[in-house]
Amino acid sequence: MKNKNSITRLILLSLSLFIIIGNSFSQEISLKASGFLNDGLKLKAEKKCETAIELYKKALAINPVYREALYETGWCYNEMGKYPEAVTFLTKAKKEWPDAPKVYLELGYANYQLKNDDDAIMHYSKCLELDDEYSLAYKYLGDLYYSRQEYAKALDNFKLYIIHAEKITSPLFYYKKGYCENEQGKFDDAIISLKKSLELKNDEPKCFDELGYAYYKINDAENAIIQYNKSIALKPKSHVPYLGIGDVQRILKKNTDEGLINYLKAAEINPESKKAYYSAGWCYNNKQQYLTALGYLKKAIALDKDYKAGLTEIGYSYYSLGEYQNAISNFEKSISLDAKNILPHYYAGLCYLAMKNKAEVLKKISILEELKSPYAEKLKTKLDTL
């Protein structure tokens, strides 16, 4: 009996020693993996991501499901612009760390950079589901919607970013917010945002352009011109501020000649600007120089055959020259692109009136009445004198 008890005790002692040795070995391995991770984090702080990844991978060689190492590897690949690799490691991290908002944030960012917008939105949304105060997720969602020209959604997320972020030091953020506000017709808000951007970085031409546009839209001609001139001083070879000044002069100040000078300068700087040619053509039409107007408007349409404003304006040139069929052809092309556009219907009606085609004039009057346009009555009055 004593021998049996001795054997039992010996077996239990051996098992205990085995467990202790095993635990010690496991702890040693865990410590080694942690050491590689911590050394990698130090290199990450020094912006040495490539070297940091080497250490993270050593940690993963010891423990392939080490969630912190998987995440940090993905983070560094994002930082290096290697987004497919980032997705690979972050997807593994998500499996091991399903309740970590930061993993979903980085996965969203990588997918956004890979143009996988739906996956990016899904991951950003999951990040916010786990932590609705995770400010960067709002910013990145705003950036995504901004790039898709969905400015209302972008602006909603930018506003939430402001609420949750501790401090914002990015001039680009405020520029994008101001741009969205301009697109949404919130010009006073845009002015505030764009001024904040310029407080952080006062040498960005496009910010002055956007600020000039906001002032233009609230009919503040002088401030608009000041901002556009600041843009020109920083970037003389940009056509954008010349277009802006042209609009201020032509539309707000009713100065066709000054507007024309700026549009021609814009066309000289950028021969691919359809707006520059269109606006110059509009000015020449206004100056009753219709043949000259045709030359510029043809250039605008050559750059964009579906340019509605250009087609309407060139139709007006032909109408003014008495070339009614050419005029109607261009008006109808414009209408085919936007059937609710009032002016081409009205001027086509004037062409038919000049051609004494009463039936077609009546058709245009009917359309204008359906569109509830006062031009219907104008055309009807002219028809009565036929």
Side-chain angles (χ1 to χ4, degrees), residues 96 181 186 208 232 263 281 377:
E96 304 302 327
E181 286 159 341
K186 299 176 179 180
F208 285 113
I232 292 169
Y263 294 138
E377 196 59 38

Side-chain angles (χ1 to χ4, degrees), residues 94-190:
K94 180 174 70 171
K95 182 180 178 182
E96 304 302 327
W97 210 353
D99 58 349
K102 64 182 181 180
V103 174
Y104 294 95
L105 181 83
E106 291 298 322
L107 260 172
Y109 182 80
N111 276 291
Y112 168 60
Q113 296 297 332
L114 291 168
K115 311 298 183 188
N116 299 328
D117 285 2
D118 290 341
D119 284 340
I121 291 170
M122 177 186 71
H123 285 102
Y124 289 143
S125 299
K126 182 63 177 179
C127 173
L128 290 168
E129 179 186 317
L130 293 167
D131 181 358
D132 63 4
E133 295 185 2
Y134 209 114
S135 62
L136 273 178
Y138 292 117
K139 179 184 181 297
Y140 289 164
L141 269 172
D143 288 340
L144 185 153
Y145 286 122
Y146 175 88
S147 70
R148 287 161 59 132
Q149 299 181 11
E150 295 180 37
Y151 298 117
K153 289 181 180 179
L155 188 55
D156 287 343
N157 281 282
F158 287 151
K159 287 178 179 178
L160 288 166
Y161 175 60
I162 289 173
I163 291 170
H164 295 290
E166 290 183 9
K167 187 178 181 181
I168 301 173
T169 59
S170 168
L172 181 58
F173 167 77
Y174 283 113
Y175 167 78
K176 287 182 178 179
K177 181 172 179 285
Y179 188 98
C180 290
E181 286 159 341
N182 269 343
E183 287 292 322
Q184 292 294 297
K186 299 176 179 180
F187 306 115
D188 290 319
D189 291 341

